């Protein structure tokens, strides 16, 4: 049995801040609830997503935020060299 294969994948979240229009989709629909609005705004005045402070390692690399963002403003990459994780 390969227990190493059973771990939950982890993702790193990247936000292209100036593209965000604060639609809330990524925050609302993240299954791991690891995103929240920034306290700062981008140049257009929109709050963009940031990681929840105590959930910094909680992204499970489902890539749903990547797929749902209408502005292509957020994407994730695998952490820990998950070569086949997505
Ligand atoms: S990849 Fe999934 S778990 Fe990670 S921030 Fe996006 S929606 Fe949330
Ligand atoms: S889904 Fe995209 S545009 Fe909407 S809040 Fe998230 S990053 Fe911003």
């Amino acid at each position: 049995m390969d227990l190493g294969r059973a771990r939950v994948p982890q993702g790193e979240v990247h936000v292209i801040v100036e593209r965000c229009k604060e639609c809330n989709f990524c925050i609302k629909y993240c299954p791991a609830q690891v995103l929240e609005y920034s306290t700062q705004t981008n140049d257009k005045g929109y709050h963009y997503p940031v990681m929840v402070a105590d959930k910094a390692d909680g992204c499970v690399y489902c890539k749903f935020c990547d797929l749902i963002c209408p502005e292509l403003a957020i994407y994730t990459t695998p952490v820990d060299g998950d070569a086949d994780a997505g």
Side-chain angles (χ1 to χ4, degrees):
M1 181 162 48
D2 186 355
L3 291 176
R5 304 289 299 167
R7 67 192 167 84
V8 176
Q10 187 185 346
E12 182 175 355
V13 179
H14 309 271
V15 178
I16 304 170
V17 168
E18 293 310 323
R19 286 188 181 174
C20 178
K21 292 189 177 169
E22 201 181 321
C23 73
N24 194 41
F25 289 171
C26 60
I27 293 170
K28 183 174 182 179
Y29 294 111
C30 169
Q33 296 288 290
V34 297
L35 300 173
E36 64 182 355
Y37 279 132
S38 59
T39 55
Q40 308 286 314
T41 57
N42 64 18
D43 284 351
K44 300 185 186 96
Y46 296 119
H47 296 273
Y48 48 88
V50 294
M51 296 293 288
V52 175
D54 62 355
K55 295 183 178 178
D57 298 327
C59 173
V60 297
Y61 192 50
C62 68
K63 303 209 282 188
F64 194 64
C65 55
D66 197 330
L67 292 170
I68 203 172
C69 177
E71 307 301 329
L72 305 178
I74 185 168
Y75 64 98
T76 52
T77 52
V79 168
D80 202 21
D82 273 336
D84 59 353

